[in-house]
């Protein structure tokens, strides 16, 4: 394999740049030409492609976002759109493709694989919603960004004796809410994977207040519903002054944590090595601190297991 391509797709995630850097530098180390494809599958269809060199990935390991830019591309969901992309790969002589993205991007990669393109996925999404891997690139940074916000909200919340609802991202996955909620000492964590009872949450708030608690934090995963409606209901039912903070895209930005930089560097290098060893149609993952490359069909069909034990722990620690 003499030429490979790399693209980032779907929502950006901190650490994508570190992954791009690792792909480019590992490729060049093995005397392979690396082409950077801009704007995800859109750029693949439109031929937004340039050769990367050692310095084109210099000074990016610490930067959030993605230097290749990213996009969501409806056309790529169609066979016609993918055909255009495959033609572009052929025109540029790209023999293997590294796709950095989430679940949707992997479905695109799976289709390319089925159409004979040598493809390998790297999980890049803050959501941590891919069941085959313990961690996705960007999750740790997003969780720490949320934790920083929880700490700040705690200060003002305690001064006013308020309850705060903090809405976080994650689509249908509650990991950002669950992990940052445990680390931030939240009173309640409302996530799509678990049923909740609003009256129970309210009772807990009232009990907390009556034993002298100065503030309460309720983590709400975006997949659940409207945070402001929750805020109103909780405020009305408890009589506690309640505020709502929607953290939004702050969670997607910022310098990646050491964990994400290391994960991205290892996964980027592994992806290239797997391709150069003649394997494709896979995605790189990590389980029990061990890297592996799994068949993309299995990757996509692996359901995410909910960490029941962790959820129970958050309940025990917030009685
Ligand atoms: P993420 O990769 O972060 O989950 P999306 O779900 O938005 O993000 O998917 C990113 C892109 O992947 C989509 O805009 C589309 O171009 C491509 N994609 C998603 N699902 C499919 C599919 N079933 N077939 C082909 N391409 C897909
Ligand atoms: O998949 C990453 C993510 O940030 C989700 O958590 C969120 O639901 C979505 O993307 C937001 O997407 P957009 O970039 O379109 O606002």
């Amino acid at each position: 394999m003499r030429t490979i391509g790399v693209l980032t797709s779907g929502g950006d995630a901190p650490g994508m740049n570190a992954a791009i850097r690792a792909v480019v530098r590992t490729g060049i180390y093995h005397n392979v030409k690396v082409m950077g494809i801009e704007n995800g599958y859109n750029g693949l269809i439109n031929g937004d492609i340039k050769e990367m060199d050692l310095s084109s990935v210099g000074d990016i390991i610490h930067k959030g976002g993605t230097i290749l830019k990213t996009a969501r591309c409806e056309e790529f969901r169609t066979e016609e759109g993918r055909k255009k992309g495959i033609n572009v790969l052929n025109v540029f002589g790209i023999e293997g493709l590294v796709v950095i993205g989430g679940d949707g991007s992997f479905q695109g990669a799976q289709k390319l694989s089925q159409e004979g393109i040598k493809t390998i996925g790297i999980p890049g999404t803050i959501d941590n919603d891919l069941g085959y891997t313990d961690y996705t690139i960007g999750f740790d940074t997003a969780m720490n960004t949320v934790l920083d916000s929880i700490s700040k909200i705690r200060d003002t919340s305690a001064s006013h004796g308020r309850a705060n609802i903090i809405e976080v991202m994650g689509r249908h996955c509650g990991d950002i809410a669950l992990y940052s909620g445990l680390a931030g000492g939240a009173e309640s964590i409302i996530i799509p994977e678990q049923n909740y009872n609003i009256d129970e949450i309210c009772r807990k708030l009232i009990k907390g207040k009556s034993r002298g608690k100065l503030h309460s934090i309720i983590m709400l995963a975006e997949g659940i519903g409207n945070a402001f409606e929750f805020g109103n209901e909780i405020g009305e039912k408890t009589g506690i002054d309640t505020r709502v903070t929607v953290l939004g895209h702050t969670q997607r930005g910022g310098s990646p944590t050491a964990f994400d930089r290391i994960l991205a560097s290892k996964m980027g290098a592994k992806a290239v090595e797997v391709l150069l060893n003649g394997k494709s149609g896979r995605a790189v993952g990590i389980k029990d601190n061990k890297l592996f490359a799994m068949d993309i069909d299995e990757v996509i069909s692996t359901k995410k297991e909910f960490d029941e034990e962790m959820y129970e722990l958050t309940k025990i620690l917030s009685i």
Side-chain angles (χ1 to χ4, degrees), residues 1 40 47 55 79 99 103 116 122 142 167 223 234 236 283 289 311:
M1 199 169 278
S55 45
E79 206 180 321
V99 172
D103 162 56
I122 296 179
E167 185 195 293
I234 287 174
E236 275 167 23
N289 215 20
Y311 181 71

Side-chain angles (χ1 to χ4, degrees), residues 167-168 171-174 177 189-196 198 219-227 229-230:
E167 185 195 293
V168 296
R171 278 195 185 161
H172 308 296
C173 177
I189 299 174
I190 313 177
I191 49 179
E193 295 87 344
Q194 287 290 318
N195 293 326
Y196 65 90
I198 199 89
M219 298 305 298
L220 179 80
E222 66 174 353
I224 284 283
N226 187 298
E229 282 170 16
F230 269 93

Side-chain angles (χ1 to χ4, degrees), residues 27-59:
I28 293 173
Y29 173 83
H30 289 292
N31 298 315
V32 170
K33 204 198 258 191
V34 186
M35 309 297 278
I37 302 162
E38 295 192 330
N39 307 311
Y41 292 129
N42 257 335
L44 178 58
I45 288 174
N46 298 326
D48 301 338
I49 298 177
K50 58 175 189 219
E51 186 174 345
M52 312 285 282
D53 59 21
L54 292 176
S55 45
S56 58
V57 290
D59 206 24

Side-chain angles (χ1 to χ4, degrees), residues 9-11 41 72-73 76-77 82 102-105 107-108 111 171:
S9 165
Y41 292 129
R72 296 199 168 94
C73 173
F76 203 73
R77 292 175 188 271
R82 290 194 297 277
D103 162 56
S105 307
Q107 290 188 39
K111 297 260 167 67
R171 278 195 185 161

Side-chain angles (χ1 to χ4, degrees), residues 22-224:
V23 168
V24 171
R25 294 216 167 145
T26 308
I28 293 173
Y29 173 83
H30 289 292
N31 298 315
V32 170
K33 204 198 258 191
V34 186
M35 309 297 278
I37 302 162
E38 295 192 330
N39 307 311
Y41 292 129
N42 257 335
L44 178 58
I45 288 174
N46 298 326
D48 301 338
I49 298 177
K50 58 175 189 219
E51 186 174 345
M52 312 285 282
D53 59 21
L54 292 176
S55 45
S56 58
V57 290
D59 206 24
I60 64 166
I61 194 167
H62 61 297
K63 289 187 178 149
T66 156
I67 59 159
L68 289 177
K69 303 199 263 327
T70 183
R72 296 199 168 94
C73 173
E74 276 312 302
E75 198 180 354
F76 203 73
R77 292 175 188 271
T78 67
E79 206 180 321
E80 215 184 29
R82 290 194 297 277
K83 265 198 187 130
K84 284 190 200 166
I86 291 171
N87 284 341
V88 170
L89 288 173
N90 290 332
V91 166
F92 281 84
I94 297 173
E95 298 159 276
L97 179 66
V98 180
V99 172
I100 308 171
D103 162 56
S105 307
F106 278 11
Q107 290 188 39
Q110 181 190 33
K111 297 260 167 67
L112 281 179
S113 265
Q114 288 162 353
E115 284 152 42
I117 303 299
K118 295 190 167 70
T119 312
I120 182 129
I122 296 179
T125 166
I126 63 165
D127 298 341
N128 208 37
D129 57 349
L130 295 164
Y132 80 100
T133 183
D134 284 345
Y135 294 106
T136 58
I137 296 166
F139 170 66
D140 186 68
T141 306
M143 177 180 62
N144 279 288
T145 301
V146 172
L147 188 56
D148 184 48
S149 297
I150 294 175
S151 306
K152 287 176 175 151
I153 289 169
R154 242 174 207 288
D155 290 346
T156 165
S157 192
S159 309
H160 288 265
R162 283 175 175 157
N164 270 273
I165 318 273
I166 304 178
E167 185 195 293
V168 296
M169 283 186 167
R171 278 195 185 161
H172 308 296
C173 177
D175 275 20
I176 298 179
L178 178 63
Y179 281 67
S180 61
L182 176 59
E187 273 62 41
S188 295
I189 299 174
I190 313 177
I191 49 179
E193 295 87 344
Q194 287 290 318
N195 293 326
Y196 65 90
N197 180 323
I198 199 89
D199 292 330
E200 225 169 76
I201 293 168
C202 290
R203 268 198 298 278
K204 200 169 180 186
L205 289 179
I206 294 167
K207 253 174 68 187
K209 188 157 188 174
S210 62
R211 74 169 164 87
K213 268 179 82 73
L214 292 176
H215 66 273
S216 299
I217 301 287
I218 298 155
M219 298 305 298
L220 179 80
E222 66 174 353
I224 284 283

Side-chain angles (χ1 to χ4, degrees), residues 292-309:
F292 58 86
M294 185 188 269
D295 184 274
I296 191 94
D297 295 331
E298 204 180 332
V299 160
I300 285 170
S301 63
T302 304
K303 284 231 167 352
K304 188 166 167 73
E305 261 177 53
F306 179 65
D307 193 341
E308 200 91 42
E309 241 174 68

